[in-house]
PDB file of all heavy atoms in Angstrom:
ATOM      1  N   ILE A   1     -14.575 -26.105  10.838  1.00  0.00           N
ATOM      2  CA  ILE A   1     -14.670 -25.815   9.407  1.00  0.00           C
ATOM      3  C   ILE A   1     -13.255 -26.081   8.784  1.00  0.00           C
ATOM      4  O   ILE A   1     -12.262 -25.614   9.315  1.00  0.00           O
ATOM      5  CB  ILE A   1     -15.082 -24.362   9.137  1.00  0.00           C
ATOM      6  CG1 ILE A   1     -16.459 -24.078   9.819  1.00  0.00           C
ATOM      7  CG2 ILE A   1     -15.157 -24.133   7.583  1.00  0.00           C
ATOM      8  CD1 ILE A   1     -17.592 -24.856   9.214  1.00  0.00           C
ATOM      9  N   GLY A   2     -13.278 -26.718   7.633  1.00  0.00           N
ATOM     10  CA  GLY A   2     -12.041 -27.014   6.936  1.00  0.00           C
ATOM     11  C   GLY A   2     -12.046 -26.392   5.474  1.00  0.00           C
ATOM     12  O   GLY A   2     -13.144 -26.266   4.913  1.00  0.00           O
ATOM     13  N   TRP A   3     -10.890 -26.118   5.018  1.00  0.00           N
ATOM     14  CA  TRP A   3     -10.636 -25.790   3.630  1.00  0.00           C
ATOM     15  C   TRP A   3      -9.895 -26.857   2.902  1.00  0.00           C
ATOM     16  O   TRP A   3      -8.796 -27.305   3.449  1.00  0.00           O
ATOM     17  CB  TRP A   3      -9.978 -24.465   3.413  1.00  0.00           C
ATOM     18  CG  TRP A   3     -10.834 -23.176   3.780  1.00  0.00           C
ATOM     19  CD1 TRP A   3     -10.799 -22.540   4.910  1.00  0.00           C
ATOM     20  CD2 TRP A   3     -11.615 -22.567   2.835  1.00  0.00           C
ATOM     21  NE1 TRP A   3     -11.740 -21.484   4.792  1.00  0.00           N
ATOM     22  CE2 TRP A   3     -12.271 -21.452   3.522  1.00  0.00           C
ATOM     23  CE3 TRP A   3     -12.022 -22.740   1.475  1.00  0.00           C
ATOM     24  CZ2 TRP A   3     -13.111 -20.590   2.915  1.00  0.00           C
ATOM     25  CZ3 TRP A   3     -12.888 -21.890   0.911  1.00  0.00           C
ATOM     26  CH2 TRP A   3     -13.429 -20.783   1.575  1.00  0.00           C
ATOM     27  N   PHE A   4     -10.311 -27.252   1.765  1.00  0.00           N
ATOM     28  CA  PHE A   4      -9.700 -28.280   0.936  1.00  0.00           C
ATOM     29  C   PHE A   4      -9.471 -27.661  -0.459  1.00  0.00           C
ATOM     30  O   PHE A   4     -10.232 -26.783  -0.922  1.00  0.00           O
ATOM     31  CB  PHE A   4     -10.497 -29.553   0.901  1.00  0.00           C
ATOM     32  CG  PHE A   4     -10.694 -30.219   2.214  1.00  0.00           C
ATOM     33  CD1 PHE A   4     -11.622 -29.769   3.156  1.00  0.00           C
ATOM     34  CD2 PHE A   4      -9.885 -31.335   2.584  1.00  0.00           C
ATOM     35  CE1 PHE A   4     -11.860 -30.335   4.342  1.00  0.00           C
ATOM     36  CE2 PHE A   4     -10.091 -31.930   3.842  1.00  0.00           C
ATOM     37  CZ  PHE A   4     -11.055 -31.469   4.746  1.00  0.00           C
ATOM     38  N   ARG A   5      -8.585 -28.238  -1.183  1.00  0.00           N
ATOM     39  CA  ARG A   5      -8.402 -27.790  -2.588  1.00  0.00           C
ATOM     40  C   ARG A   5      -8.061 -28.971  -3.464  1.00  0.00           C
ATOM     41  O   ARG A   5      -7.522 -30.010  -3.068  1.00  0.00           O
ATOM     42  CB  ARG A   5      -7.322 -26.733  -2.673  1.00  0.00           C
ATOM     43  CG  ARG A   5      -5.848 -27.267  -2.386  1.00  0.00           C
ATOM     44  CD  ARG A   5      -4.861 -26.129  -2.300  1.00  0.00           C
ATOM     45  NE  ARG A   5      -3.579 -26.597  -2.086  1.00  0.00           N
ATOM     46  CZ  ARG A   5      -2.560 -25.800  -1.762  1.00  0.00           C
ATOM     47  NH1 ARG A   5      -2.673 -24.465  -1.732  1.00  0.00           N
ATOM     48  NH2 ARG A   5      -1.285 -26.339  -1.621  1.00  0.00           N
ATOM     49  N   GLN A   6      -8.362 -28.758  -4.726  1.00  0.00           N
ATOM     50  CA  GLN A   6      -7.992 -29.851  -5.739  1.00  0.00           C
ATOM     51  C   GLN A   6      -7.492 -29.144  -6.960  1.00  0.00           C
ATOM     52  O   GLN A   6      -8.165 -28.416  -7.657  1.00  0.00           O
ATOM     53  CB  GLN A   6      -9.289 -30.606  -6.051  1.00  0.00           C
ATOM     54  CG  GLN A   6      -9.105 -31.838  -7.010  1.00  0.00           C
ATOM     55  CD  GLN A   6     -10.244 -32.790  -7.042  1.00  0.00           C
ATOM     56  OE1 GLN A   6     -11.359 -32.406  -6.792  1.00  0.00           O
ATOM     57  NE2 GLN A   6      -9.973 -34.034  -7.319  1.00  0.00           N
ATOM     58  N   ALA A   7      -6.277 -29.504  -7.305  1.00  0.00           N
ATOM     59  CA  ALA A   7      -5.588 -29.015  -8.491  1.00  0.00           C
ATOM     60  C   ALA A   7      -5.986 -29.967  -9.644  1.00  0.00           C
ATOM     61  O   ALA A   7      -6.332 -31.129  -9.484  1.00  0.00           O
ATOM     62  CB  ALA A   7      -4.058 -29.043  -8.290  1.00  0.00           C
ATOM     63  N   PRO A   8      -5.865 -29.424 -10.907  1.00  0.00           N
ATOM     64  CA  PRO A   8      -6.167 -30.201 -12.088  1.00  0.00           C
ATOM     65  C   PRO A   8      -5.419 -31.507 -12.083  1.00  0.00           C
ATOM     66  O   PRO A   8      -4.185 -31.510 -11.990  1.00  0.00           O
ATOM     67  CB  PRO A   8      -5.806 -29.297 -13.235  1.00  0.00           C
ATOM     68  CG  PRO A   8      -5.904 -27.895 -12.675  1.00  0.00           C
ATOM     69  CD  PRO A   8      -5.473 -28.056 -11.260  1.00  0.00           C
ATOM     70  N   GLY A   9      -6.088 -32.589 -12.288  1.00  0.00           N
ATOM     71  CA  GLY A   9      -5.430 -33.899 -12.393  1.00  0.00           C
ATOM     72  C   GLY A   9      -4.948 -34.491 -11.064  1.00  0.00           C
ATOM     73  O   GLY A   9      -4.285 -35.542 -10.995  1.00  0.00           O
ATOM     74  N   LYS A  10      -5.174 -33.810  -9.917  1.00  0.00           N
ATOM     75  CA  LYS A  10      -4.729 -34.169  -8.619  1.00  0.00           C
ATOM     76  C   LYS A  10      -5.878 -34.562  -7.701  1.00  0.00           C
ATOM     77  O   LYS A  10      -7.037 -34.093  -7.900  1.00  0.00           O
ATOM     78  CB  LYS A  10      -3.851 -33.104  -8.013  1.00  0.00           C
ATOM     79  CG  LYS A  10      -2.609 -32.692  -8.859  1.00  0.00           C
ATOM     80  CD  LYS A  10      -1.593 -33.866  -8.915  1.00  0.00           C
ATOM     81  CE  LYS A  10      -0.424 -33.446  -9.766  1.00  0.00           C
ATOM     82  NZ  LYS A  10       0.373 -32.314  -9.064  1.00  0.00           N
ATOM     83  N   GLU A  11      -5.552 -35.338  -6.643  1.00  0.00           N
ATOM     84  CA  GLU A  11      -6.562 -35.557  -5.634  1.00  0.00           C
ATOM     85  C   GLU A  11      -6.763 -34.397  -4.661  1.00  0.00           C
ATOM     86  O   GLU A  11      -5.874 -33.552  -4.531  1.00  0.00           O
ATOM     87  CB  GLU A  11      -6.133 -36.806  -4.799  1.00  0.00           C
ATOM     88  CG  GLU A  11      -6.120 -38.098  -5.538  1.00  0.00           C
ATOM     89  CD  GLU A  11      -5.948 -39.295  -4.676  1.00  0.00           C
ATOM     90  OE1 GLU A  11      -5.683 -39.137  -3.457  1.00  0.00           O
ATOM     91  OE2 GLU A  11      -5.966 -40.440  -5.205  1.00  0.00           O
ATOM     92  N   ARG A  12      -7.926 -34.318  -4.104  1.00  0.00           N
ATOM     93  CA  ARG A  12      -8.247 -33.241  -3.195  1.00  0.00           C
ATOM     94  C   ARG A  12      -7.338 -33.424  -1.971  1.00  0.00           C
ATOM     95  O   ARG A  12      -7.145 -34.462  -1.473  1.00  0.00           O
ATOM     96  CB  ARG A  12      -9.681 -33.260  -2.820  1.00  0.00           C
ATOM     97  CG  ARG A  12     -10.211 -32.036  -2.063  1.00  0.00           C
ATOM     98  CD  ARG A  12     -11.697 -31.786  -2.236  1.00  0.00           C
ATOM     99  NE  ARG A  12     -12.436 -32.947  -1.919  1.00  0.00           N
ATOM    100  CZ  ARG A  12     -13.715 -33.139  -2.303  1.00  0.00           C
ATOM    101  NH1 ARG A  12     -14.292 -32.150  -2.953  1.00  0.00           N
ATOM    102  NH2 ARG A  12     -14.382 -34.186  -1.935  1.00  0.00           N
ATOM    103  N   GLU A  13      -6.852 -32.244  -1.466  1.00  0.00           N
ATOM    104  CA  GLU A  13      -6.050 -32.207  -0.274  1.00  0.00           C
ATOM    105  C   GLU A  13      -6.491 -31.198   0.776  1.00  0.00           C
ATOM    106  O   GLU A  13      -7.120 -30.237   0.354  1.00  0.00           O
ATOM    107  CB  GLU A  13      -4.611 -31.926  -0.647  1.00  0.00           C
ATOM    108  CG  GLU A  13      -4.394 -30.509  -1.258  1.00  0.00           C
ATOM    109  CD  GLU A  13      -2.963 -30.263  -1.563  1.00  0.00           C
ATOM    110  OE1 GLU A  13      -2.028 -30.968  -1.060  1.00  0.00           O
ATOM    111  OE2 GLU A  13      -2.685 -29.296  -2.249  1.00  0.00           O
ATOM    112  N   GLY A  14      -6.277 -31.444   2.051  1.00  0.00           N
ATOM    113  CA  GLY A  14      -6.578 -30.516   3.053  1.00  0.00           C
ATOM    114  C   GLY A  14      -5.665 -29.355   3.123  1.00  0.00           C
ATOM    115  O   GLY A  14      -4.495 -29.511   2.874  1.00  0.00           O
ATOM    116  N   VAL A  15      -6.162 -28.181   3.370  1.00  0.00           N
ATOM    117  CA  VAL A  15      -5.408 -26.937   3.321  1.00  0.00           C
ATOM    118  C   VAL A  15      -5.300 -26.500   4.801  1.00  0.00           C
ATOM    119  O   VAL A  15      -4.172 -26.124   5.320  1.00  0.00           O
ATOM    120  CB  VAL A  15      -5.972 -25.833   2.470  1.00  0.00           C
ATOM    121  CG1 VAL A  15      -5.307 -24.564   2.590  1.00  0.00           C
ATOM    122  CG2 VAL A  15      -5.996 -26.377   0.994  1.00  0.00           C
ATOM    123  N   SER A  16      -6.463 -26.234   5.455  1.00  0.00           N
ATOM    124  CA  SER A  16      -6.560 -25.629   6.792  1.00  0.00           C
ATOM    125  C   SER A  16      -7.829 -25.973   7.448  1.00  0.00           C
ATOM    126  O   SER A  16      -8.816 -26.163   6.740  1.00  0.00           O
ATOM    127  CB  SER A  16      -6.227 -24.123   6.691  1.00  0.00           C
ATOM    128  OG  SER A  16      -6.264 -23.468   7.989  1.00  0.00           O
ATOM    129  N   CYS A  17      -7.866 -25.928   8.750  1.00  0.00           N
ATOM    130  CA  CYS A  17      -9.085 -26.052   9.499  1.00  0.00           C
ATOM    131  C   CYS A  17      -9.076 -25.231  10.781  1.00  0.00           C
ATOM    132  O   CYS A  17      -8.011 -24.918  11.225  1.00  0.00           O
ATOM    133  CB  CYS A  17      -9.467 -27.480   9.739  1.00  0.00           C
ATOM    134  SG  CYS A  17      -8.291 -28.437  10.867  1.00  0.00           S
ATOM    135  N   ILE A  18     -10.322 -24.926  11.228  1.00  0.00           N
ATOM    136  CA  ILE A  18     -10.483 -24.159  12.439  1.00  0.00           C
ATOM    137  C   ILE A  18     -11.492 -24.867  13.264  1.00  0.00           C
ATOM    138  O   ILE A  18     -12.543 -25.290  12.784  1.00  0.00           O
ATOM    139  CB  ILE A  18     -10.815 -22.712  12.149  1.00  0.00           C
ATOM    140  CG1 ILE A  18     -10.761 -21.857  13.321  1.00  0.00           C
ATOM    141  CG2 ILE A  18     -12.067 -22.610  11.374  1.00  0.00           C
ATOM    142  CD1 ILE A  18     -10.778 -20.349  13.108  1.00  0.00           C
ATOM    143  N   SER A  19     -11.232 -24.888  14.564  1.00  0.00           N
ATOM    144  CA  SER A  19     -12.197 -25.654  15.530  1.00  0.00           C
ATOM    145  C   SER A  19     -13.427 -24.702  15.857  1.00  0.00           C
ATOM    146  O   SER A  19     -13.417 -23.566  15.559  1.00  0.00           O
ATOM    147  CB  SER A  19     -11.403 -26.038  16.765  1.00  0.00           C
ATOM    148  OG  SER A  19     -11.028 -24.862  17.508  1.00  0.00           O
ATOM    149  N   ARG A  20     -14.264 -25.337  16.635  1.00  0.00           N
ATOM    150  CA  ARG A  20     -15.335 -24.576  17.286  1.00  0.00           C
ATOM    151  C   ARG A  20     -14.767 -23.497  18.138  1.00  0.00           C
ATOM    152  O   ARG A  20     -13.743 -23.666  18.778  1.00  0.00           O
ATOM    153  CB  ARG A  20     -16.181 -25.521  18.174  1.00  0.00           C
ATOM    154  CG  ARG A  20     -16.931 -26.687  17.403  1.00  0.00           C
ATOM    155  CD  ARG A  20     -17.508 -27.623  18.333  1.00  0.00           C
ATOM    156  NE  ARG A  20     -18.444 -27.027  19.319  1.00  0.00           N
ATOM    157  CZ  ARG A  20     -19.011 -27.664  20.305  1.00  0.00           C
ATOM    158  NH1 ARG A  20     -18.741 -28.936  20.521  1.00  0.00           N
ATOM    159  NH2 ARG A  20     -19.863 -26.962  21.080  1.00  0.00           N
ATOM    160  N   ARG A  21     -15.387 -22.296  18.112  1.00  0.00           N
ATOM    161  CA  ARG A  21     -15.003 -21.157  18.878  1.00  0.00           C
ATOM    162  C   ARG A  21     -13.632 -20.721  18.664  1.00  0.00           C
ATOM    163  O   ARG A  21     -13.040 -19.924  19.484  1.00  0.00           O
ATOM    164  CB  ARG A  21     -15.217 -21.441  20.439  1.00  0.00           C
ATOM    165  CG  ARG A  21     -16.595 -22.020  20.809  1.00  0.00           C
ATOM    166  CD  ARG A  21     -17.695 -21.058  20.473  1.00  0.00           C
ATOM    167  NE  ARG A  21     -19.037 -21.577  20.765  1.00  0.00           N
ATOM    168  CZ  ARG A  21     -19.629 -21.524  21.940  1.00  0.00           C
ATOM    169  NH1 ARG A  21     -19.025 -20.912  22.978  1.00  0.00           N
ATOM    170  NH2 ARG A  21     -20.857 -22.068  22.097  1.00  0.00           N
ATOM    171  N   SER A  22     -13.012 -21.128  17.547  1.00  0.00           N
ATOM    172  CA  SER A  22     -11.708 -20.706  17.122  1.00  0.00           C
ATOM    173  C   SER A  22     -10.607 -21.057  18.146  1.00  0.00           C
ATOM    174  O   SER A  22      -9.621 -20.360  18.225  1.00  0.00           O
ATOM    175  CB  SER A  22     -11.652 -19.236  16.924  1.00  0.00           C
ATOM    176  OG  SER A  22     -12.577 -18.856  15.867  1.00  0.00           O
ATOM    177  N   SER A  23     -10.861 -22.170  18.887  1.00  0.00           N
ATOM    178  CA  SER A  23      -9.874 -22.539  19.953  1.00  0.00           C
ATOM    179  C   SER A  23      -8.577 -23.043  19.407  1.00  0.00           C
ATOM    180  O   SER A  23      -7.574 -23.072  20.053  1.00  0.00           O
ATOM    181  CB  SER A  23     -10.548 -23.556  20.899  1.00  0.00           C
ATOM    182  OG  SER A  23     -10.918 -24.715  20.208  1.00  0.00           O
ATOM    183  N   SER A  24      -8.613 -23.651  18.154  1.00  0.00           N
ATOM    184  CA  SER A  24      -7.346 -24.145  17.568  1.00  0.00           C
ATOM    185  C   SER A  24      -7.496 -24.100  16.067  1.00  0.00           C
ATOM    186  O   SER A  24      -8.612 -24.026  15.442  1.00  0.00           O
ATOM    187  CB  SER A  24      -7.130 -25.531  18.022  1.00  0.00           C
ATOM    188  OG  SER A  24      -8.172 -26.439  17.603  1.00  0.00           O
ATOM    189  N   THR A  25      -6.325 -23.994  15.379  1.00  0.00           N
ATOM    190  CA  THR A  25      -6.289 -24.079  13.929  1.00  0.00           C
ATOM    191  C   THR A  25      -5.172 -25.052  13.457  1.00  0.00           C
ATOM    192  O   THR A  25      -4.234 -25.382  14.311  1.00  0.00           O
ATOM    193  CB  THR A  25      -5.952 -22.701  13.339  1.00  0.00           C
ATOM    194  OG1 THR A  25      -4.712 -22.176  13.858  1.00  0.00           O
ATOM    195  CG2 THR A  25      -7.031 -21.704  13.729  1.00  0.00           C
ATOM    196  N   TYR A  26      -5.295 -25.487  12.267  1.00  0.00           N
ATOM    197  CA  TYR A  26      -4.251 -26.389  11.704  1.00  0.00           C
ATOM    198  C   TYR A  26      -4.026 -25.996  10.236  1.00  0.00           C
ATOM    199  O   TYR A  26      -4.988 -25.664   9.535  1.00  0.00           O
ATOM    200  CB  TYR A  26      -4.723 -27.824  11.823  1.00  0.00           C
ATOM    201  CG  TYR A  26      -3.754 -28.803  11.206  1.00  0.00           C
ATOM    202  CD1 TYR A  26      -2.660 -29.246  11.892  1.00  0.00           C
ATOM    203  CD2 TYR A  26      -3.965 -29.320   9.951  1.00  0.00           C
ATOM    204  CE1 TYR A  26      -1.736 -30.109  11.350  1.00  0.00           C
ATOM    205  CE2 TYR A  26      -3.028 -30.221   9.393  1.00  0.00           C
ATOM    206  CZ  TYR A  26      -1.917 -30.578  10.086  1.00  0.00           C
ATOM    207  OH  TYR A  26      -1.057 -31.486   9.534  1.00  0.00           O
ATOM    208  N   TYR A  27      -2.802 -26.076   9.839  1.00  0.00           N
ATOM    209  CA  TYR A  27      -2.454 -25.780   8.461  1.00  0.00           C
ATOM    210  C   TYR A  27      -1.633 -26.894   7.836  1.00  0.00           C
ATOM    211  O   TYR A  27      -0.614 -27.443   8.525  1.00  0.00           O
ATOM    212  CB  TYR A  27      -1.620 -24.467   8.360  1.00  0.00           C
ATOM    213  CG  TYR A  27      -2.383 -23.291   8.929  1.00  0.00           C
ATOM    214  CD1 TYR A  27      -2.248 -22.910  10.201  1.00  0.00           C
ATOM    215  CD2 TYR A  27      -3.142 -22.478   8.022  1.00  0.00           C
ATOM    216  CE1 TYR A  27      -3.000 -21.728  10.687  1.00  0.00           C
ATOM    217  CE2 TYR A  27      -3.856 -21.358   8.432  1.00  0.00           C
ATOM    218  CZ  TYR A  27      -3.743 -21.030   9.770  1.00  0.00           C
ATOM    219  OH  TYR A  27      -4.452 -19.955  10.306  1.00  0.00           O
ATOM    220  N   ALA A  28      -1.827 -27.216   6.545  1.00  0.00           N
ATOM    221  CA  ALA A  28      -0.888 -28.032   5.872  1.00  0.00           C
ATOM    222  C   ALA A  28       0.473 -27.443   5.769  1.00  0.00           C
ATOM    223  O   ALA A  28       0.552 -26.180   5.722  1.00  0.00           O
ATOM    224  CB  ALA A  28      -1.462 -28.377   4.472  1.00  0.00           C
ATOM    225  N   ASP A  29       1.543 -28.311   5.749  1.00  0.00           N
ATOM    226  CA  ASP A  29       2.858 -27.655   5.691  1.00  0.00           C
ATOM    227  C   ASP A  29       3.018 -26.781   4.419  1.00  0.00           C
ATOM    228  O   ASP A  29       3.813 -25.810   4.539  1.00  0.00           O
ATOM    229  CB  ASP A  29       3.925 -28.834   5.602  1.00  0.00           C
ATOM    230  CG  ASP A  29       4.027 -29.554   6.984  1.00  0.00           C
ATOM    231  OD1 ASP A  29       3.625 -29.049   8.051  1.00  0.00           O
ATOM    232  OD2 ASP A  29       4.563 -30.696   6.965  1.00  0.00           O
ATOM    233  N   SER A  30       2.392 -27.076   3.397  1.00  0.00           N
ATOM    234  CA  SER A  30       2.581 -26.349   2.132  1.00  0.00           C
ATOM    235  C   SER A  30       2.125 -24.875   2.237  1.00  0.00           C
ATOM    236  O   SER A  30       2.490 -24.095   1.445  1.00  0.00           O
ATOM    237  CB  SER A  30       1.905 -27.054   1.035  1.00  0.00           C
ATOM    238  OG  SER A  30       0.521 -27.222   1.183  1.00  0.00           O
ATOM    239  N   VAL A  31       1.303 -24.525   3.218  1.00  0.00           N
ATOM    240  CA  VAL A  31       0.691 -23.193   3.354  1.00  0.00           C
ATOM    241  C   VAL A  31       0.989 -22.504   4.590  1.00  0.00           C
ATOM    242  O   VAL A  31       0.659 -21.303   4.753  1.00  0.00           O
ATOM    243  CB  VAL A  31      -0.824 -23.261   3.124  1.00  0.00           C
ATOM    244  CG1 VAL A  31      -1.274 -23.911   1.838  1.00  0.00           C
ATOM    245  CG2 VAL A  31      -1.543 -23.881   4.310  1.00  0.00           C
ATOM    246  N   LYS A  32       1.722 -23.225   5.529  1.00  0.00           N
ATOM    247  CA  LYS A  32       2.029 -22.550   6.757  1.00  0.00           C
ATOM    248  C   LYS A  32       2.850 -21.191   6.533  1.00  0.00           C
ATOM    249  O   LYS A  32       3.776 -21.218   5.697  1.00  0.00           O
ATOM    250  CB  LYS A  32       2.888 -23.509   7.677  1.00  0.00           C
ATOM    251  CG  LYS A  32       2.080 -24.653   8.279  1.00  0.00           C
ATOM    252  CD  LYS A  32       2.958 -25.470   9.078  1.00  0.00           C
ATOM    253  CE  LYS A  32       2.123 -26.627   9.737  1.00  0.00           C
ATOM    254  NZ  LYS A  32       3.014 -27.567  10.517  1.00  0.00           N
ATOM    255  N   GLY A  33       2.476 -20.263   7.248  1.00  0.00           N
ATOM    256  CA  GLY A  33       3.188 -18.970   7.117  1.00  0.00           C
ATOM    257  C   GLY A  33       2.626 -18.055   6.046  1.00  0.00           C
ATOM    258  O   GLY A  33       2.992 -16.870   5.996  1.00  0.00           O
ATOM    259  N   ARG A  34       1.801 -18.617   5.239  1.00  0.00           N
ATOM    260  CA  ARG A  34       1.201 -17.880   4.057  1.00  0.00           C
ATOM    261  C   ARG A  34      -0.297 -17.684   4.149  1.00  0.00           C
ATOM    262  O   ARG A  34      -0.788 -16.654   3.683  1.00  0.00           O
ATOM    263  CB  ARG A  34       1.612 -18.547   2.736  1.00  0.00           C
ATOM    264  CG  ARG A  34       3.101 -18.631   2.499  1.00  0.00           C
ATOM    265  CD  ARG A  34       3.339 -19.093   1.033  1.00  0.00           C
ATOM    266  NE  ARG A  34       2.859 -20.460   0.829  1.00  0.00           N
ATOM    267  CZ  ARG A  34       1.925 -20.774  -0.092  1.00  0.00           C
ATOM    268  NH1 ARG A  34       1.466 -19.754  -0.861  1.00  0.00           N
ATOM    269  NH2 ARG A  34       1.509 -22.010  -0.298  1.00  0.00           N
ATOM    270  N   PHE A  35      -0.943 -18.732   4.661  1.00  0.00           N
ATOM    271  CA  PHE A  35      -2.422 -18.713   4.792  1.00  0.00           C
ATOM    272  C   PHE A  35      -2.792 -18.514   6.209  1.00  0.00           C
ATOM    273  O   PHE A  35      -2.139 -18.992   7.124  1.00  0.00           O
ATOM    274  CB  PHE A  35      -2.979 -20.002   4.269  1.00  0.00           C
ATOM    275  CG  PHE A  35      -2.867 -20.176   2.753  1.00  0.00           C
ATOM    276  CD1 PHE A  35      -2.136 -19.414   1.943  1.00  0.00           C
ATOM    277  CD2 PHE A  35      -3.662 -21.191   2.196  1.00  0.00           C
ATOM    278  CE1 PHE A  35      -2.007 -19.629   0.606  1.00  0.00           C
ATOM    279  CE2 PHE A  35      -3.554 -21.472   0.764  1.00  0.00           C
ATOM    280  CZ  PHE A  35      -2.736 -20.651   0.025  1.00  0.00           C
ATOM    281  N   THR A  36      -3.989 -17.866   6.421  1.00  0.00           N
ATOM    282  CA  THR A  36      -4.528 -17.660   7.701  1.00  0.00           C
ATOM    283  C   THR A  36      -5.995 -17.983   7.749  1.00  0.00           C
ATOM    284  O   THR A  36      -6.792 -17.412   6.903  1.00  0.00           O
ATOM    285  CB  THR A  36      -4.307 -16.306   8.311  1.00  0.00           C
ATOM    286  OG1 THR A  36      -2.940 -15.957   8.333  1.00  0.00           O
ATOM    287  CG2 THR A  36      -4.904 -16.191   9.728  1.00  0.00           C
ATOM    288  N   ILE A  37      -6.515 -18.898   8.585  1.00  0.00           N
ATOM    289  CA  ILE A  37      -7.934 -19.191   8.663  1.00  0.00           C
ATOM    290  C   ILE A  37      -8.546 -18.529   9.862  1.00  0.00           C
ATOM    291  O   ILE A  37      -7.933 -18.379  10.845  1.00  0.00           O
ATOM    292  CB  ILE A  37      -8.201 -20.781   8.675  1.00  0.00           C
ATOM    293  CG1 ILE A  37      -9.624 -21.085   8.583  1.00  0.00           C
ATOM    294  CG2 ILE A  37      -7.617 -21.313  10.051  1.00  0.00           C
ATOM    295  CD1 ILE A  37      -9.877 -22.596   8.315  1.00  0.00           C
ATOM    296  N   SER A  38      -9.780 -18.036   9.687  1.00  0.00           N
ATOM    297  CA  SER A  38     -10.476 -17.359  10.806  1.00  0.00           C
ATOM    298  C   SER A  38     -11.932 -17.594  10.657  1.00  0.00           C
ATOM    299  O   SER A  38     -12.422 -17.995   9.566  1.00  0.00           O
ATOM    300  CB  SER A  38     -10.106 -15.909  10.826  1.00  0.00           C
ATOM    301  OG  SER A  38     -10.571 -15.261   9.666  1.00  0.00           O
ATOM    302  N   ARG A  39     -12.722 -17.388  11.660  1.00  0.00           N
ATOM    303  CA  ARG A  39     -14.136 -17.445  11.567  1.00  0.00           C
ATOM    304  C   ARG A  39     -14.819 -16.338  12.360  1.00  0.00           C
ATOM    305  O   ARG A  39     -14.221 -15.869  13.382  1.00  0.00           O
ATOM    306  CB  ARG A  39     -14.661 -18.847  12.080  1.00  0.00           C
ATOM    307  CG  ARG A  39     -14.455 -19.148  13.594  1.00  0.00           C
ATOM    308  CD  ARG A  39     -14.678 -20.627  13.900  1.00  0.00           C
ATOM    309  NE  ARG A  39     -16.101 -20.936  13.746  1.00  0.00           N
ATOM    310  CZ  ARG A  39     -16.526 -22.237  13.619  1.00  0.00           C
ATOM    311  NH1 ARG A  39     -15.734 -23.280  13.702  1.00  0.00           N
ATOM    312  NH2 ARG A  39     -17.800 -22.447  13.456  1.00  0.00           N
TER     313      ARG A  39
END
């Protein structure tokens, strides 16, 4: 599962994703340390 966002006038960008069974996660540099993804 991934989270994406789109700001006004901007292209959509990836924010974070989480793998099957929560074995791994990934964060865009812009949100590292501030956002946490879970399932």
Side-chain angles (χ1 to χ4, degrees):
I1 305 295
W3 284 97
F4 299 80
R5 68 187 181 190
Q6 187 167 25
K10 302 293 181 63
E11 294 187 356
R12 189 155 54 195
E13 63 177 346
V15 176
S16 181
C17 61
I18 187 166
S19 69
R20 296 169 58 185
R21 308 298 177 89
S22 302
S23 59
S24 64
T25 58
Y26 178 81
Y27 299 91
D29 288 342
S30 59
V31 306
K32 285 180 180 176
R34 300 188 298 119
F35 290 11
T36 303
I37 191 169
S38 61
R39 67 191 293 165

